[in-house]
């Protein structure tokens, strides 16, 4: 059973379109992280959200942590080909220490010209 | 400032063989975590090493073992390889109990 479910699994859009990726769980997390992973590389941390209801912006990327701290979303405005990659949410296991992360199922995004 | 370095980058092994993967953490980091990422999936936690001891372990069999050296570098050993062990193995380093992880590029292991 996957603790963090992401949707959609795959997304293929054209440059300039907007999109939202969701990360959902039935468990409460103290915080959630979002990573982007490109082929042949390890995941790269984009952001950490720690407060329920928190919204963080990173240029064209907007991250939101749900009020109940069970879900998060990533919104990309005016997507560019450079946004292509695997987007992963991750959070510390509720019964573990902060340093043991569980990852979501991933959303593979492809942005074409 | 060097990030996390993993070696080798690619490896092909035969079923039943043993493999050792290596990781050098980012400068200033003292904790190393290992993850297995199957194709199209998110990474799965294998174990974590701190102060040369295994601090936490995920749901992986005893065929998976590791070691951390005094210079904080780490090795992941897998015995009696199965076809299902084929995956990208990621090493992530951090400082102490924090989880500001830095990931390496991984080792792609193929078991034939």
């Amino acid at each position: 059973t996957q603790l963090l479910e992401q949707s959609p699994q795959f997304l293929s859009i054209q440059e300039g379109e907007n999109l939202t990726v969701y990360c959902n769980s039935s468990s409460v997390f103290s915080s959630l992280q979002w990573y982007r992973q490109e082929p042949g590389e390890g995941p790269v941390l984009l952001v950490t959200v720690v407060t329920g209801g928190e919204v963080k912006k990173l240029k064209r990327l907007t991250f939101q942590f749900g009020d109940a701290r069970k879900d998060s979303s990533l919104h990309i405005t005016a997507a560019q080909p450079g946004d292509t990659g695997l987007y992963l949410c991750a959070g510390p296991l509720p019964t573990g220490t902060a340093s043991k992360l569980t990852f979501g199922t991933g959303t593979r995004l492809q942005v074409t010209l | 400032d060097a990030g996390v370095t993993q070696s080798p980058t690619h490896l092909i092994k035969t079923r039943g063989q043993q493999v050792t993967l290596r990781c050098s953490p980012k400068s200033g980091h003292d904790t190393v975590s290992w993850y297995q990422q199957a194709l199209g999936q998110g990474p799965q936690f294998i174990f974590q090493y701190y102060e040369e001891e295994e601090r936490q372990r995920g749901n992986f069999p005893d065929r998976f073992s590791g070691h951390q050296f005094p210079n904080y570098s780490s090795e992941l050993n897998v015995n009696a390889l199965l076809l299902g062990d084929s995956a990208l193995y990621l090493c992530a380093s951090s400082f102490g109990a924090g989880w500001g992880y830095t990931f390496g590029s991984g080792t792609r292991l193929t078991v034939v």
Side-chain angles (χ1 to χ4, degrees):
Chain A
T1 303
Q2 198 73 28
L3 208 56
L4 287 168
E5 295 283 350
Q6 289 185 235
S7 62
Q9 281 188 293
F10 301 98
L11 200 51
S12 181
I13 62 172
Q14 290 189 320
E15 183 180 18
E17 293 185 16
N18 302 331
L19 66 115
T20 302
V21 176
Y22 300 93
C23 174
N24 295 294
S25 177
S26 57
S27 299
V28 175
F29 283 85
S30 58
S31 57
L32 280 178
Q33 295 185 327
W34 284 91
Y35 290 81
R36 181 170 68 213
Q37 184 179 21
E38 299 186 20
E41 299 293 328
V44 175
L45 178 65
L46 296 174
V47 77
T48 301
V49 285
V50 298
T51 306
E54 180 178 4
V55 176
K56 278 192 175 179
K57 291 191 175 183
L58 185 65
K59 296 183 180 178
R60 295 177 293 100
L61 277 60
T62 302
F63 305 85
Q64 186 164 7
F65 200 12
D67 290 340
R69 291 185 287 123
K70 291 183 177 181
D71 56 86
S72 181
S73 64
L74 157 60
H75 182 79
I76 300 179
T77 303
Q80 299 177 358
D83 296 326
T84 295
L86 178 67
Y87 287 82
L88 296 158
C89 64
L93 285 173
T95 56
T97 67
S99 59
K100 180 180 177 181
L101 284 180
T102 184
F103 281 82
T105 48
T107 294
R108 188 163 300 280
L109 171 65
Q110 182 171 10
V111 182
T112 56
L113 294 171
Chain B
D1 181 20
V4 177
T5 304
Q6 291 188 244
S7 64
T9 54
H10 295 84
L11 202 53
I12 299 176
K13 288 286 189 177
T14 304
R15 275 181 300 176
Q17 285 188 315
Q18 179 262 345
V19 68
T20 297
L21 311 182
R22 296 176 175 82
C23 171
S24 293
K26 181 180 179 179
S27 177
H29 286 181
D30 58 6
T31 302
V32 173
S33 302
W34 286 93
Y35 286 81
Q36 180 194 66
Q37 186 176 23
L39 203 59
Q41 304 288 324
Q44 298 290 319
F45 178 79
I46 303 176
F47 42 53
Q48 182 182 84
Y49 278 85
Y50 174 71
E51 292 188 340
E52 302 180 49
E53 290 190 357
E54 183 180 292
R55 183 160 67 174
Q56 293 207 57
R57 188 177 184 91
N59 189 26
F60 279 81
D62 292 344
R63 298 186 297 108
F64 289 77
S65 63
H67 188 76
Q68 186 179 35
F69 300 93
N71 67 352
Y72 307 120
S73 67
S74 178
E75 288 182 348
L76 163 66
N77 300 292
V78 186
N79 295 322
L81 285 167
L82 304 174
L83 294 179
D85 295 331
S86 295
L88 180 68
Y89 288 85
L90 294 164
C91 170
S93 72
S94 58
F95 177 73
W99 47 293
Y101 279 14
T102 299
F103 280 88
S105 297
T107 294
R108 171 72 62 189
L109 172 65
T110 302
V111 182
V112 298

